[in-house]
Amino acid sequence: MPHLLDPTRNDLETWLAERGEKSFRARQVRQWILHRRAASFEQMTDLPKTLREALEKDFTLWTTQIARHSQSEDGTEKLLLQLADGGRIECVLLRDGTRRTICISSQVGCAMGCVFCASGLDGVDRNLTAGEIVEQMLRLQQLVEPDLRLSHIVVMGMGEPLANLDRLLPALEVASSEAGLGISPRRITISTVGLPPAIRRLTERGVHYNLAVSLHAPNDELRNRLVPVNKNIGLAAILEEADHYFEASGRRLTFEYVLLAGINDQQEHARQLVNLLGSRLALLNVIPYNPVAGLPYATPSNNASRRFREILEQGGINVQFRERKGDKINAACGQLRRSTPPVVTIAAK
Ligand code: SF4
């Protein structure tokens, strides 16, 4: 049965009209789940009983169970959510001063196969629905003090967001609309390994979310090894579409680079990055690797990170080294899912 947040507001209005209900009911119904935290249709007391019964017959209100909730000393909280079909996804709340950023997943697993990532180890099971994407936001919102709101969203968890654009965009519409969670598109970032046709679709849609392209390597030869999907795409095509997105949206591009000891952290790699990105008005986020159990990759030494950073800065790159948050709670994407047994629900007789 579909999630109550799967249909767009227009689709819900159509569903209501087919049952002789006024369109304003769509706003009321959504308010109950987005802001009033209704746990059941029964609680939506300002809706007619017949409508509540019809909703219950056609939709599900909450489809996830919290399989695990971990909290780190730095305030980072991570949820492992079990979906109705048993699939599991991860989402994270990061606290930094007044910022309350959430990182959400877009798919169950991932097909991109980045060799250092736990999420892609078993491939992709399926796309998340729009309702499942929004439900992550609501589950994380519930971890925040009641008088505070989420401030930023990064779609950087499990999965390749641009491979699930048809469900992601309606979910982000709910996140950014005033009747929804009211988070400005300027504070929403979509992270991608770089799928040019999907970047073009984003450009053509005229949405103004931030785009973060995960590079992880400064040349195709190394990137083909670290991000196998690159073999069919290539850096030039990705950068060309990213540049178009920047021109059309005015949103400064971000590039992500996970720094792996002895693999992509050499001085020549930093120099190649300067050549690759030098002329762009962009931010380069360098993230020292969070080790994943069973994978042969390590965090670079402080010295290697410092040298890498110096070369980038001397080359005029606007670079930011991101702190690794939540190390103690398996915060690297995909790790919690692999280390936690599934939730078993015993049905009441
Ligand atoms: S790093 Fe991101 S794109 Fe790459 S396999 Fe992991 S989830 Fe997929």
Side-chain angles (χ1 to χ4, degrees):
M1 202 150 45
H3 196 292
L4 181 58
L5 289 168
D6 280 347
T8 62
R9 172 121 177 228
N10 284 347
D11 290 343
L12 188 57
E13 284 175 357
T14 305
W15 181 92
L16 287 161
E18 285 165 2
R19 283 150 190 84
E21 295 284 350
K22 295 271 190 318
S23 61
F24 76 90
R25 294 285 185 204
R27 184 182 49 78
Q28 258 182 317
V29 169
R30 286 188 149 212
Q31 287 282 319
W32 272 109
I33 183 163
L34 293 172
H35 300 294
R36 301 173 78 175
R37 302 185 179 186
S40 67
F41 291 104
E42 191 70 44
Q43 289 178 0
M44 301 182 179
T45 46
D46 55 1
L47 303 181
K49 191 161 188 295
T50 47
L51 176 54
R52 279 183 269 154
E53 285 168 357
L55 285 166
E56 181 143 29
K57 195 162 141 289
D58 282 8
F59 298 105
T60 314
L61 196 49
W62 294 91
T63 60
T64 65
Q65 279 181 281
I66 298 177
R68 193 157 155 191
H69 177 189
S70 321
Q71 187 157 14
S72 147
E73 283 161 11
D74 62 17
T76 303
E77 293 185 61
K78 186 162 193 172
L79 297 179
L80 177 68
L81 299 178
Q82 183 156 316
L83 306 166
D85 64 1
R88 295 187 302 166
I89 53 168
E90 300 176 9
C91 54
V92 184
L93 166 69
L94 300 122
R95 294 183 168 87
D96 190 2
T98 58
R99 283 184 174 221
R100 290 165 298 282
T101 303
I102 60 168
C103 175
I104 56 171
S105 295
S106 53
Q107 297 180 304
V108 184
C110 185
M112 299 298 115
C114 304
V115 294
F116 48 83
C117 171
S119 291
L121 284 177
D122 301 322
V124 66
D125 287 340
R126 68 170 173 90
N127 287 324
L128 293 179
T129 69
E132 289 168 334
I133 295 171
V134 178
E135 191 164 319
Q136 293 172 76
M137 302 174 199
L138 300 179
R139 292 275 186 208
L140 293 165
Q141 168 77 60
Q142 288 170 359
L143 303 179
V144 171
E145 297 68 12
D147 54 330
L148 296 177
R149 287 166 64 162
L150 301 174
S151 63
H152 294 73
I153 298 178
V154 293
V155 192
M156 207 175 274
M158 185 178 293
E160 164 53 55
L162 295 193
N164 189 17
L165 209 46
D166 288 339
R167 291 150 198 97
L168 178 67
L169 288 178
L172 293 184
E173 173 66 32
V174 174
S176 59
S177 69
E178 270 313 311
L181 301 184
I183 301 172
S184 162
R186 294 174 164 272
R187 295 178 166 203
I188 296 176
T189 301
I190 301 174
S191 171
T192 177
V193 295
L195 305 180
I199 298 176
R200 199 171 316 137
R201 275 187 66 201
L202 267 189
T203 307
E204 287 164 1
R205 281 289 289 265
V207 292
H208 288 176
Y209 303 119
N210 299 305
L211 186 67
V213 177
S214 298
L215 286 180
H216 309 319
N219 60 65
D220 278 324
E221 189 271 326
L222 180 57
R223 196 167 194 264
N224 289 348
R225 282 195 276 136
L226 298 180
V227 185
V229 72
N230 189 64
K231 287 177 202 153
N232 305 322
I233 304 171
L235 280 167
I238 296 168
L239 291 175
E240 188 183 333
E241 283 304 335
D243 287 342
H244 286 156
Y245 185 76
F246 165 68
E247 284 158 21
S249 67
R251 309 300 301 139
R252 182 183 66 173
L253 294 173
T254 301
F255 294 97
E256 307 276 335
Y257 194 100
V258 169
L259 206 58
L260 304 156
I263 308 274
N264 64 356
D265 65 342
Q266 306 297 299
Q267 297 184 33
E268 63 176 288
H269 297 134
R271 284 191 283 272
Q272 288 173 14
L273 269 179
V274 170
N275 286 337
L276 192 71
L277 303 179
S279 59
R280 289 180 170 81
L281 183 67
L283 172 70
L284 176 65
N285 266 329
V286 180
I287 309 127
Y289 184 62
N290 233 352
V292 172
L295 292 182
Y297 303 99
T299 311
S301 67
N302 287 341
N303 265 348
S305 294
R306 188 173 37 76
R307 279 200 310 275
F308 200 82
R309 180 181 197 143
E310 281 167 3
I311 293 169
L312 293 169
E313 285 176 345
Q314 284 159 10
I317 300 291
N318 181 15
V319 61
Q320 175 176 286
F321 268 61
R322 273 226 312 261
E323 203 187 328
R324 292 185 307 149
K325 283 191 167 263
D327 282 14
K328 296 206 175 65
I329 54 167
N330 286 337
C333 158
Q335 290 193 74
L336 202 59
R337 184 170 80 130
R338 297 184 72 77
S339 63
T340 305
V343 174
V344 179
T345 306
I346 301 169
K349 291 206 171 162

